[in-house]
Amino acid sequence: MAIRFEDIKEHIGSRVVWDDRADIFSPEAARAIRAQVEARTVVVFPELHLTDAEQLAITEAMGERVRLTARNNVQNNDQDVYQVTLDEKINPQPEYVLGTFFWHMDGITVDMPPPFATLLSCRIAPAIGGETEFASTYAAYEGLPEEEKRALDGLKAVHSVRASLSPIADAIPEKHRERVLGIGLVKEHPLVWTHESGRKSLVIGTTADHIVGMDVPAGRAMLIRLQEWAAQPAFSLRHKWTKGDFVIWDNTGAMHRAIPYDKSTGRMMHRTSIAGTEAVAA
Ligand SMILES: [Fe+2]
């Protein structure tokens, strides 16, 4: 086999090992990597140093590339590569990036199936902070006691950008606060996603505002407990970025967040996304 995978933790994470860098770009490798992302949630390519063209090629070899965020970046040639940065000269909407400090799934409040995978290349690694954490919502569901699984059956949560930005809402300048909080749709999703594969995962994160038909305090408490459960060390992984690292994760089976960092670190990540093929279903 041209590329090999090593487990990082028992329930989450694989590291890719290769002899020849060119092997990563073969169609067989794309199939193997996609399968590994589905099986292990997070796949790390240490110091691969992809160009944007190479990142887009891998993205397209694994599925259909999709533009997740309306283009805000002004210093980029390809509209399907989103630059994740707090530098307002490049990204005039830093609030959107500050929201990534809290557990979330990408593309859960837009009118399409949630993206299958998110792909990030590290261009500038911060010395302090800026790690990305991943929590497997498959492992979290599978690890629940049977009676808790039964209690979640049939429940739905309401998701919105407003909910996900509520921890930082008062830090958004008032003049455009309402516009930012109003981004995206208000979407109802089953709390437990039964995928076409038959596997089940939790659909949680700060976008989840409340549970349909449940008192708001009780529903929020349940959502926060589930978030804490999924984030426990057994089900989660923290990646400390080195310049050139490339990470792909299964956005349909994981929450993620960035450890806070300051814009003076210059942290710069290039993001692409692969379209999802199934809507969240009970
Ligand atoms: Fe994200």
Side-chain angles (χ1 to χ4, degrees):
M1 171 117 175
I3 61 171
R4 299 180 304 284
F5 302 100
E6 295 172 345
D7 285 357
I8 299 175
K9 291 177 79 170
E10 183 186 352
H11 294 293
I12 184 170
S14 290
R15 193 180 300 108
V16 185
V17 182
W18 59 89
D19 300 316
D20 181 350
R21 190 178 183 279
D23 292 342
I24 289 166
F25 301 94
S26 73
E28 307 81 69
R31 279 192 291 276
I33 295 163
R34 182 167 177 130
Q36 197 72 12
V37 170
E38 286 171 359
R40 301 286 306 162
T41 309
V42 180
V43 173
V44 177
F45 301 72
E47 299 182 67
L48 183 58
H49 296 283
L50 291 179
T51 64
D52 281 349
E54 287 174 331
Q55 182 166 343
L56 284 165
I58 288 184
T59 305
E60 287 188 324
M62 287 178 59
E64 182 196 342
R65 86 190 205 194
V66 65
R67 191 179 312 163
L68 192 57
T69 311
R71 190 183 187 199
N72 292 313
N73 302 159
V74 291
Q75 289 184 2
N76 200 348
N77 297 323
D78 197 300
Q79 302 208 354
D80 287 351
V81 180
Y82 180 80
Q83 292 173 294
V84 183
T85 174
L86 286 173
D87 183 347
E88 296 98 341
K89 289 196 295 298
I90 299 170
N91 181 0
Q93 246 180 33
E95 295 85 10
Y96 180 84
V97 176
L98 293 171
T100 67
F101 292 176
F102 305 90
W103 286 117
H104 67 283
M105 296 165 66
D106 288 338
I108 213 79
T109 60
V110 294
D111 202 14
M112 63 177 176
F116 160 60
T118 307
L119 306 84
L120 274 187
S121 281
C122 177
R123 297 305 183 95
I124 301 174
I128 300 166
E131 299 94 333
T132 302
E133 291 186 315
F134 306 94
S136 169
T137 50
Y138 279 122
Y141 178 80
E142 285 155 15
L144 283 171
E146 289 307 316
E147 61 177 289
E148 281 198 52
K149 287 181 186 169
R150 278 195 296 276
L152 301 183
D153 222 19
L155 294 182
K156 290 182 166 191
V158 175
H159 295 254
S160 65
V161 168
R162 183 177 295 274
S164 71
L165 293 184
S166 64
I168 62 156
D170 48 6
I172 302 173
E174 204 173 344
K175 62 178 188 299
H176 61 267
R177 187 180 299 154
E178 271 310 304
R179 183 182 55 76
V180 172
L181 295 178
I183 290 173
L185 304 174
V186 176
K187 295 267 282 185
E188 225 174 82
H189 292 297
L191 202 46
V192 179
W193 182 349
T194 306
H195 298 252
E196 284 167 9
S197 64
R199 291 179 74 196
K200 294 184 177 191
S201 67
L202 297 171
V203 180
I204 51 176
T206 46
T207 54
D209 182 58
H210 61 274
I211 293 180
V212 177
M214 195 179 279
D215 287 342
V216 168
R220 286 207 177 124
M222 174 185 267
L223 289 165
I224 289 170
R225 275 201 321 280
L226 289 172
Q227 229 185 79
E228 290 168 349
W229 172 259
Q232 65 177 283
F235 306 145
S236 65
L237 176 68
R238 177 184 291 203
H239 182 70
K240 168 89 178 145
W241 294 97
T242 298
K243 182 179 164 71
D245 285 354
F246 176 56
V247 173
I248 307 174
W249 71 92
D250 178 354
N251 179 62
T252 66
M255 304 186 289
H256 61 283
R257 68 178 175 185
I259 300 298
Y261 55 96
D262 193 81
K263 81 174 168 195
S264 64
T265 62
R267 185 185 191 266
M268 168 62 81
M269 314 294 285
H270 284 197
R271 186 187 76 186
T272 52
S273 302
I274 297 174
T277 54
E278 38 178 314
V280 182

